[in-house]
Amino acid sequence: MAKGKINVSVENIFPLIKKFLYSDHEIFLRELISNATDATLKLKHLTAIGEAKVDYGNPQIEIRIDKEGKKIHITDQGLGMTSDEVEKYINQVAFSGAEEFLDKYKDAGKDAGIIGHFGLGFYSAFMVAHTVEIITKSFKDEPAAHWTCDGSPNFTLEAADKKDRGTEIILHIAEDSVEFLEESKISGLLSKYNKFMPVPIVFGTKTETLPKPEGAKEEDPAPTQEVQNIINNPNPAWTKAPADLNDEDYKGFYRELYPMQFEEPLFHIHLNVDYPFNLTGILYFPKLTNDLNVQKDKIQLYQNQVFVTDNVEGIVPEFLTMLRGVIDSPDIPLNVSRSYLQADGAVKKIATYITKKVGDKLSSLFKNDRAAFEEKWNDIKIVIEYGMLSEDKFFDKADKFALYPTVDGSYFTFEELQEKLKDNQTDKDGKLILLYASDKESQHAYIAAAKAKGYEVLLLDSPIVSHLMQKLETSKEKISFARVDADPIDKLIQKEENAISKLSDEEKESLKEKIEKVTGEGGLTVQLEAMDSDSAPFVITEPEFMRRMKEMQQTGGGGGMFGMGSMPDMHNLIVNINHPLVSEILQTKTQKKQDRLISQSIDLAKLSKGLLKGAALSDFISRSYEMIK
Ligand code: ADP
Ligand code: MG
């Protein structure tokens, strides 16, 4: 057996690091600013504990473009490096000075907010630069150092005469990356990645208007001055304690996050844990529409105030990806694939925590101000319904505050509904029948029929509510949802045995034949029913089961029960044989007149279901004019 050590040659590895370490070349700026921030925060910590006896001052990080010289300068006033430290930290690829620092100052690690991790960030500079220079002066009393590397593994290191503390990184931008010499490109990157970093970042200058001097004339222009343009807010709201923020602060931060968004958020949830994982953030509930897909990818993920991504899939539970806001956690392993991420224990705990916090917040809003909660219900229901469907723990919590509005604008919880309807709206087996409509206008006739019988009709119109009904029917006992047009009301809530039929079997047979002759191949299934004489004579229904399965299939899930193909619409024509009109039809002697009565009745039934269209509608209208003429 042979044993040995694999020999990795730097010459081979270096170009690989340069080209493939990060798929996105633009992150070089984020990495270098992160290093500058780390250098500044390290110094802050060392001065605070008395290990660095220098004045910390008000350090900044400056980004400067030298378009003519094709260079970008990144300058900080952090702790700097001695010549030896450059050897140690820069010349050793994949040795992280950040990790070493965190090891050494363990107890302070978390508070210091150090960003670096893998000791590779610095080399991302070579993705855009052919040559990189470091000019650095340590806070220690040692001469400055000047390191230069042209992208090959060869470097030079010599003394420099830099006097002030800190580090300047000079990138000599490569021909294929000159886009990064554009001011607009850099300011775009800064506002994407560095908007909330903890050390002030200066990029260029801006013109500030000063107050007019005393005695200035109306027409005199106000004086101006050029000031440094600080592009970031080093103390974003999520890093503060909830107790130090009021409603306005939260709304203000929302505008900072989404400057193009004019609608205010409905409410916020401040996240703040440090055990067993570290996570802060603020989530906002925006007004949501019924379109599930357009509203994703609005939550931004940060690590120590550095923007990482706005794809939080796998970290935030799916149903909450419709929310907005920020999450900041150094504990999310981002160097792994998304599917691995979902299996990661810490990430699972994070998702569970976020779900719980959202549930608690909704629950307290419901308890503390029910009226306000009801007012917001239609704008937030989609998230809650989605959550109830996808997370059982959330279902248990939300079941107590999820609302079921009626067509008349009252809101009930499920328990309240059960209590309110238990005496009136049960069928002969004691099963609670929850009647609902999905559209007040088009189902008006059916809603009216249900209300005429004294029943309560819910208005359930979100695109996933059919899935929720399915879930409720299986998790609660003796309840059933039925849309008002699923069957005639008397059949939906059947209190007693059928009314006695007034027709003989032969009469029924011949009536059915006559009606079927008129409906033809119109796709209506004729069904004779003996109902109360005051129930509608002709009514078109759409059985609950088929329709709901179809809806569920359209909005995902449903188990694919019916295979792929789309299911046809299924409509029944219910004829109430106890209605006086039906007797009249039967007694009509002339065939022509009888057919006319039947087709007019069917058209009226179609009309009230919104099914009368095209030529059939035109015919109906001219026929009706004939009649009243
Ligand atoms: P990491 O940040 O993960 O430690 P990097 O490759 O980004 O890895 O940086 C390597 C090391 O180089 C840092 O840990 C730090 O010690 C040193 N370094 C890089 N940039 C600076 C800087 N601007 N000031 C001081 N030290 C720096
Ligand atoms: Mg780094």
Side-chain angles (χ1 to χ4, degrees), residues 22 31-40 42 74-76 78-81 85-86 88-101 114-124 134 136 166-169:
Y22 299 97
E31 290 301 322
L32 296 178
I33 296 179
S34 295
N35 284 349
T37 303
D38 279 355
T40 310
K42 283 177 191 169
I74 296 135
T75 311
D76 66 63
L79 85 178
M81 283 178 276
E85 285 165 343
V86 174
K88 179 173 171 189
Y89 297 124
I90 299 296
N91 293 343
Q92 282 189 52
V93 177
F95 172 79
S96 172
E99 268 176 19
E100 187 201 50
F101 185 89
I114 303 299
I115 302 158
H117 225 354
F118 307 110
L120 291 171
F122 172 74
Y123 282 90
S124 65
I134 304 174
T136 179
T167 303
E168 177 173 9
I169 309 278

Side-chain angles (χ1 to χ4, degrees), residues 13-22 25 27-29 31-32 90-91 93 120-134 147-156 169-177 180:
I13 280 285
F14 209 68
L16 280 179
I17 292 176
K18 270 163 50 184
K19 288 289 168 205
F20 304 114
L21 181 57
Y22 299 97
H25 285 189
I27 60 91
F28 77 93
L29 189 61
E31 290 301 322
L32 296 178
I90 299 296
N91 293 343
V93 177
L120 291 171
F122 172 74
Y123 282 90
S124 65
F126 288 100
M127 297 191 303
V128 299
H130 60 79
T131 300
V132 178
E133 290 178 72
I134 304 174
W147 178 91
T148 311
C149 177
D150 64 1
S152 74
N154 305 320
F155 67 90
T156 60
I169 309 278
I170 306 168
L171 307 178
H172 297 260
I173 298 300
E175 269 319 308
D176 62 358
S177 299
F180 294 109

Side-chain angles (χ1 to χ4, degrees), residues 341-408:
L341 201 60
Q342 275 161 346
D344 185 273
V347 174
K348 266 192 195 148
K349 282 197 193 108
I350 288 176
T352 310
Y353 165 78
I354 295 174
T355 308
K356 182 179 171 324
K357 281 294 263 195
V358 171
D360 290 348
K361 174 77 182 194
L362 291 166
S363 183
S364 81
L365 283 172
F366 170 76
K367 283 190 194 126
N368 298 338
D369 191 349
R370 167 120 180 203
F373 189 77
E374 289 182 359
E375 211 173 288
K376 291 179 179 129
W377 177 255
N378 278 314
D379 296 319
I380 60 173
K381 64 183 176 199
I382 190 111
V383 175
I384 298 172
E385 289 170 356
Y386 197 173
M388 290 173 81
L389 283 169
S390 51
E391 310 271 332
D392 283 339
K393 277 217 181 96
F394 187 78
F395 179 93
D396 294 339
K397 200 171 273 177
D399 194 29
K400 301 191 178 64
F401 59 69
L403 293 177
Y404 300 84
T406 68
V407 288
D408 306 311

Side-chain angles (χ1 to χ4, degrees), residues 3 24 33 56 63 71 162 170 231 250 252 257 270 278 289 294 322 396 406 430 451 519-520 543 576 586 597 600:
K3 274 189 176 180
D24 236 348
I33 296 179
Y56 179 64
I63 317 299
K71 287 184 282 186
K162 183 174 163 65
I170 306 168
I231 59 95
Y250 284 108
L257 276 179
H270 200 129
N278 201 297
T289 66
V294 296
M322 283 181 276
D396 294 339
T406 68
K451 282 170 57 172
T519 58
N576 178 7
L586 275 173
L597 274 174
Q600 190 74 1

Side-chain angles (χ1 to χ4, degrees), residues 134-261:
I134 304 174
I135 303 168
T136 179
K137 166 91 179 74
S138 167
F139 74 96
K140 296 168 193 163
D141 193 16
E142 278 190 48
H146 185 174
W147 178 91
T148 311
C149 177
D150 64 1
S152 74
N154 305 320
F155 67 90
T156 60
L157 182 58
E158 57 198 344
D161 59 1
K162 183 174 163 65
K163 291 281 175 300
D164 41 350
R165 178 190 73 219
T167 303
E168 177 173 9
I169 309 278
I170 306 168
L171 307 178
H172 297 260
I173 298 300
E175 269 319 308
D176 62 358
S177 299
V178 287
E179 54 176 315
F180 294 109
L181 292 168
E182 298 301 327
E183 197 174 315
S184 59
K185 179 78 187 179
I186 295 297
S187 75
L189 293 182
L190 290 173
S191 92
K192 176 171 173 188
Y193 292 105
N194 310 97
K195 203 163 146 188
F196 299 114
M197 286 192 64
V199 177
I201 300 167
V202 176
F203 182 53
T205 57
K206 63 177 180 198
T207 314
E208 217 175 56
T209 312
L210 296 168
K212 285 188 189 181
E214 215 149 315
K217 291 201 203 87
E218 181 98 39
E219 63 272 23
D220 287 345
T224 57
Q225 69 173 4
E226 286 292 295
V227 293
Q228 287 185 323
N229 178 31
I230 294 179
I231 59 95
N232 58 331
N233 168 6
N235 301 301
W238 84 83
T239 62
K240 299 179 186 168
D244 296 338
L245 298 164
N246 60 31
D247 234 33
E248 258 323 299
D249 297 326
Y250 284 108
K251 283 181 186 158
F253 180 59
Y254 186 79
R255 283 191 293 272
E256 256 183 88
L257 276 179
Y258 310 105
M260 307 308 272
Q261 189 71 43

